[in-house]
Amino acid sequence: MQVNEKVAIEHGLKAEEYKKICDLLARTPNITELGIFSAMWNEHCSYKSSRLHLKKLPTKGKKVIQGPGENAGVIDIEDGDAIVFKIESHNHPSFIEPYQGAATGVGGIMRDVFTMGARPIANLNSIHFGSSQHKKTKNLLRGVVHGIGGYGNCMGVPTIGGQTSFDKSYNGNILVNAMTLGLVKKNKIFYSKAAGLNKPVIYVGSKTGRDGIHGASMASASFDEKIEEKKPTVQVGDPFTEKLLLEACLELMAGDSIIAIQDMGAAGLTSSSIEMASKGKLGIEINLDKVPCRETKMTPYEIMLSESQERMLIVLESGKENLAKKIFDKWNLDFAVIGKTTDTKNIELFFNNEQVAKIPVNTLVENSPMYDRKWKKSKLPKKNKIQKKDLKNIKIIDVLKKMLSNPNVCSKKWIWEQYDHTVMGDTIQKPGGDSGVVRVHGTNKAVAAAVDSSAVYCWAHPHTGGKQIVCESWRNLISVGAKPVAITNCLNFGSPEKEENMGEFVECVEGISEAAKYLAFPVVSGNVSFYNQTKEVGIKPTPVIGGVGLIKDYTKMITMNFKNEGNIILVIGKTEGHIDQSLFARTILDEKNGPPPEINLFNEKNNGETILKLIENEYIKSAHDVSLGGILMGISKMCINGDIGIEIKKPNSLLSKFEYFFSEDQGRYIIEIAKSDLKKVTSFLEKNAVHYDEIGTLKGKSINFDEKTIVPIDELRTYNSNWLTDYMK
């Protein structure tokens, strides 16, 4: 095929980018070379619209072993142990083909983790769908959930937590973000930096097919009415092969054969080989005739751009080929020496005894485009004034029932019951709590993880929303007794070529950065997903935060279910009565305007650290952060989970009962303590300048506000648990 500007544009490149390629090469690229450039320079691989702003994120900390730039981030959890973790998007493929899109998203993120020498110990996910009334939502939800469960369950890795939301902005673009945690010894971490000359380059895993070609490029473009035509760009996964690949790689990693290793993920053999060469400032020579292919007459272009799953690229120590081959033969996996490292600093491809591509590595990586796109700054919306007449005929019981059955609040048991969350035998807090928790096998340590997002807050004011999701993650970890260590992020936005969308991205990143710096909660890995839009209609800005924390003694872990009658319930943190953008405002008052709640980072840090100290000293029996729906929503879920009622005291506040019980002020927790510890706990809170309200006492099987307002726990459980089950029938 003759390459020209038109062909380049069909590959997703801009006219000016094509000109730059020709200038860098001092010639016109051939079709294989053009394909390689299109893969490496697309948004998904090059981060060309986001790199400039991602530099603002804090990435270093006392516990950080590896920050962004590798397959995944790594943190120190003491005793020679480390946790490898990352979250990544598979949005576009999942919308086109929900089962395989979600399944291969899970498979891909697990490969990112075990590529670094870590055995995966836990999966999480953040999935977002259109309105429950939309014709596609139910089938998309079913396909995605089955895909996540199908792959993770077959791999034997527990899914310990997640988040699911519904919003009409996702009607044309669902979001599927997958997160994996792996455990590794600090002295056995593997990296992707190639080193040494004439070292053998090894292909292992499954054979290469034509599935997934242009997958990364497809993920860097908006959808249109021809979406069905994009199905061939969705990869097809095989979890049983990945399980074999995992075991074979870990077996080889037990020795000293590997110099560098890289997953063949987005852009397949192209990105894996080029990234390894770039990091090592070397060249790589590949003989494409030696690449194991499952389809006949595959071209160099197809071999290099295929995104077939369950494949790895390895640079081995010389003379270790036979040893490595024996291991992969044992696991019935393909093994082939396909090339070598060179000092040319070029990627050189040969096929049928001819050179079919020769590209300087730096033109693909260091010289890739980086844009400082125009962006529009958002204004903080004006506050709404709640009129007393709007609240006159509203009954708390009715509010409670309606909000507990809301699709974004209701129990997601139908989803997580399809995931195996107990396999490996170390899950000590299953999905449905503030964080999932897994024990570090054979120790008293445990690792907590949570995923969070708030598209509503980020849409209302991106900077504040960015801060909020970091704080939400912080609170969810603290609520189970974990000390927050680090975060990974998946930043899901519309087209960066639109000033408004780019502004949402920039300000969210700045908000995330501000909160992460203040809380000493660094970002160690992540992913950016742009172009989440169909026919110019984009999603609400949806940055997702995956937080990881350490519990030094898992016996001190806290759950959210209320424990014993007679215990006292405290609300930690000041309730100011912020109703705007709350679930109450949107579902009860039908008010969708106004600012999100303010974030006070001092209070977030101080309140959280104080709660942790109380947990460490074993004063807190149960805990739950106050988030979506406010205090009463949090109390209701704690009652339902613990099957214990509460007698609620009239709050000592000038706020109305609706503002007090349903506002979404940040930095707050609900905690349960023994009556005998009340004085000690409140004195400690006062000493640390932490505001608290005594809200009630655990008693019976109902939520009791006064003699007129009594709501049985069983009734609340029915409202909370039935919506999703009934919807999916």
Side-chain angles (χ1 to χ4, degrees), residues 65 139 177 204 223 244 246 265 275 335 349 356 364 368 419 426 457 464 526 560 570 619 643 708 713:
I65 297 173
N139 286 335
N177 295 178
V204 299
F223 285 143
L244 300 177
L246 163 68
E275 287 172 11
F335 176 99
L349 307 179
V356 293
L364 294 161
S368 65
Y419 307 148
D426 285 315
Y457 291 172
T464 304
M560 64 184 284
L570 303 180
Y619 285 117
D643 198 32
K708 297 178 182 177
I713 299 300

Side-chain angles (χ1 to χ4, degrees), residues 80-99:
D81 296 323
I83 291 292
V84 179
F85 68 102
K86 187 183 181 183
I87 190 169
E88 202 159 64
S89 63
H90 231 223
N91 304 333
H92 289 64
S94 298
F95 186 62
I96 297 168
E97 212 300 299
Y99 183 93

Side-chain angles (χ1 to χ4, degrees), residues 125-132 137 140-141 144-145 162-171 173-177 406-412 415 451-456 492 539-544 583 586 628 723-724 727:
N125 55 76
S126 179
I127 52 179
H128 304 258
F129 299 91
S131 163
S132 59
T137 296
L140 287 167
L141 174 61
V144 165
V145 170
Q163 175 202 20
T164 305
S165 75
F166 299 86
D167 186 279
K168 67 180 183 180
S169 78
Y170 307 116
N171 283 351
N173 280 88
I174 64 171
L175 303 182
V176 177
N177 295 178
N406 181 277
N408 291 326
V409 176
C410 73
S411 169
K412 304 304 187 299
I415 294 173
V451 287
D452 297 284
S453 70
S454 182
V456 169
N492 308 277
I539 63 167
K540 284 189 172 85
T542 313
V544 175
L583 186 69
R586 283 179 280 123
L628 188 64
W723 184 87
L724 188 56
Y727 178 69

Side-chain angles (χ1 to χ4, degrees), residues 66 70-72 74 84 112-118 184-193 249-262 314-316:
Q66 175 65 54
E70 268 294 341
N71 287 291
V74 189
V84 179
D112 280 340
V113 166
F114 75 74
T115 299
M116 299 193 70
V184 67
K185 289 294 180 182
K186 284 196 302 184
N187 62 351
K188 293 297 288 184
I189 299 169
F190 288 81
Y191 299 94
S192 58
K193 179 181 176 181
C249 286
L250 292 181
E251 186 174 338
L252 184 61
M253 288 167 168
D256 57 358
S257 302
I258 296 176
I259 296 173
I261 181 168
Q262 177 74 40
I314 302 173
V315 178
L316 277 184

Side-chain angles (χ1 to χ4, degrees), residues 475-638:
R475 291 196 299 273
N476 278 330
L477 294 172
I478 283 171
S479 295
V480 299
K483 181 175 177 57
V485 178
I487 60 180
T488 180
N489 60 40
C490 196
L491 308 176
N492 308 277
F493 292 82
S495 170
E497 297 170 50
K498 290 186 174 183
E499 291 184 23
E500 187 175 312
N501 292 347
M502 194 64 205
E504 291 170 341
F505 173 81
V506 172
E507 292 191 285
C508 273
V509 168
E510 289 175 348
I512 291 169
S513 177
E514 185 182 338
K517 284 176 182 174
Y518 193 93
L519 298 173
F521 204 22
V523 181
V524 298
S525 59
N527 169 235
V528 177
S529 176
F530 279 134
Y531 297 100
N532 290 289
Q533 61 186 53
T534 297
K535 297 180 182 178
E536 303 301 307
V537 178
I539 63 167
K540 284 189 172 85
T542 313
V544 175
I545 296 292
V548 177
L550 177 64
I551 303 174
K552 289 187 178 182
D553 181 357
Y554 73 84
T555 63
K556 294 183 178 182
M557 181 192 73
I558 300 295
T559 61
M560 64 184 284
N561 52 299
F562 283 146
K563 301 299 186 298
N564 295 304
E565 288 200 17
N567 284 349
I568 305 296
I569 307 305
L570 303 180
V571 175
I572 305 300
K574 180 75 171 171
T575 300
E576 303 283 358
H578 189 99
I579 290 292
D580 287 343
Q581 296 302 331
S582 67
L583 186 69
F584 179 82
R586 283 179 280 123
T587 60
I588 306 300
L589 304 179
D590 197 29
E591 176 58 73
K592 297 180 175 58
N593 297 312
E598 294 175 11
I599 307 295
N600 184 314
L601 291 173
F602 173 83
N603 286 343
E604 288 284 0
K605 192 170 191 289
N606 188 47
N607 293 357
E609 289 177 344
T610 304
I611 292 285
L612 267 186
K613 288 174 184 172
L614 289 171
I615 291 172
E616 286 166 9
N617 289 309
E618 301 184 41
Y619 285 117
I620 294 179
K621 311 304 179 185
S622 66
H624 183 35
D625 79 307
V626 180
S627 53
L628 188 64
I631 290 172
L632 200 51
M633 205 54 32
I635 285 175
S636 297
K637 288 192 171 185
M638 296 173 85

Side-chain angles (χ1 to χ4, degrees), residues 36 41 146 249 275 287 342 358 376 423 524 670 682 699:
I36 289 170
W41 282 21
H146 288 171
C249 286
E275 287 172 11
N287 185 343
T342 69
K358 182 180 179 180
K376 188 176 180 182
V423 66
V524 298
I670 301 163
T682 54
K699 184 179 180 181

Side-chain angles (χ1 to χ4, degrees), residues 132-408:
S132 59
Q133 305 303 312
H134 192 269
K135 61 184 180 181
K136 287 187 176 181
T137 296
K138 188 182 294 186
N139 286 335
L140 287 167
L141 174 61
R142 182 175 281 110
V144 165
V145 170
H146 288 171
I148 291 171
Y151 209 102
N153 295 352
C154 292
M155 282 290 293
V157 178
T159 299
I160 64 167
Q163 175 202 20
T164 305
S165 75
F166 299 86
D167 186 279
K168 67 180 183 180
S169 78
Y170 307 116
N171 283 351
N173 280 88
I174 64 171
L175 303 182
V176 177
N177 295 178
M179 179 177 173
T180 293
L181 286 75
L183 178 67
V184 67
K185 289 294 180 182
K186 284 196 302 184
N187 62 351
K188 293 297 288 184
I189 299 169
F190 288 81
Y191 299 94
S192 58
K193 179 181 176 181
L197 296 179
N198 294 311
K199 301 296 183 182
V201 176
I202 313 296
Y203 173 116
V204 299
S206 290
K207 287 181 169 60
T208 295
R210 290 186 171 95
D211 55 316
I213 293 173
H214 294 306
S217 298
M218 176 269 293
S220 305
S222 303
F223 285 143
D224 54 29
E225 65 278 354
K226 297 180 180 178
I227 186 173
E228 291 297 317
E229 296 176 10
K230 299 181 187 285
K231 279 192 176 182
T233 62
V234 179
Q235 310 93 327
V236 178
D238 179 357
F240 299 106
T241 299
E242 178 140 331
K243 175 67 174 171
L244 300 177
L245 183 62
L246 163 68
E247 299 301 338
C249 286
L250 292 181
E251 186 174 338
L252 184 61
M253 288 167 168
D256 57 358
S257 302
I258 296 176
I259 296 173
I261 181 168
Q262 177 74 40
D263 159 44
M264 290 193 220
L269 186 53
T270 289
S271 62
S272 56
S273 58
I274 291 164
E275 287 172 11
M276 292 171 88
S278 173
K279 289 172 183 175
K281 300 188 184 312
L282 296 171
I284 285 183
E285 182 181 295
I286 297 175
N287 185 343
L288 296 177
D289 294 301
K290 295 186 178 180
V291 173
C293 294
R294 67 169 182 262
E295 298 184 50
T296 59
K297 297 182 179 180
M298 288 190 70
T299 65
Y301 177 97
E302 292 171 326
I303 294 169
M304 290 302 292
L305 296 186
S306 166
E307 293 185 10
S308 295
Q309 298 290 284
E310 297 87 39
R311 303 178 300 159
M312 293 281 187
L313 198 65
I314 302 173
V315 178
L316 277 184
E317 290 286 1
S318 300
K320 299 288 187 177
E321 296 94 324
N322 287 336
L323 182 151
K325 187 175 186 306
K326 284 180 182 177
I327 292 173
F328 286 91
D329 284 350
K330 183 181 80 172
W331 292 99
N332 199 29
L333 295 164
D334 277 284
F335 176 99
V337 180
I338 65 169
K340 63 181 181 180
T341 59
T342 69
D343 62 358
T344 64
K345 297 185 180 180
N346 296 325
I347 183 78
E348 296 177 81
L349 307 179
F350 294 85
F351 188 69
N352 290 340
N353 296 316
E354 291 183 9
Q355 188 175 75
V356 293
K358 182 180 179 180
I359 308 172
V361 171
N362 66 347
T363 64
L364 294 161
V365 184
E366 289 92 336
N367 293 120
S368 65
M370 183 169 72
Y371 296 127
D372 185 4
R373 296 196 184 275
K374 292 182 179 179
W375 57 279
K376 188 176 180 182
K377 192 174 178 64
S378 63
K379 293 180 180 178
L380 188 68
K382 291 182 179 179
K383 285 189 175 182
N384 294 304
K385 288 186 179 179
I386 298 176
Q387 305 295 326
K388 287 186 177 178
K389 62 180 176 63
D390 296 333
L391 304 174
K392 189 176 179 182
N393 296 318
I394 299 175
K395 295 180 179 178
I396 281 189
I397 291 180
D398 296 334
V399 173
L400 204 51
K401 291 175 180 178
K402 188 172 182 178
M403 286 173 55
L404 278 170
S405 59
N406 181 277
N408 291 326

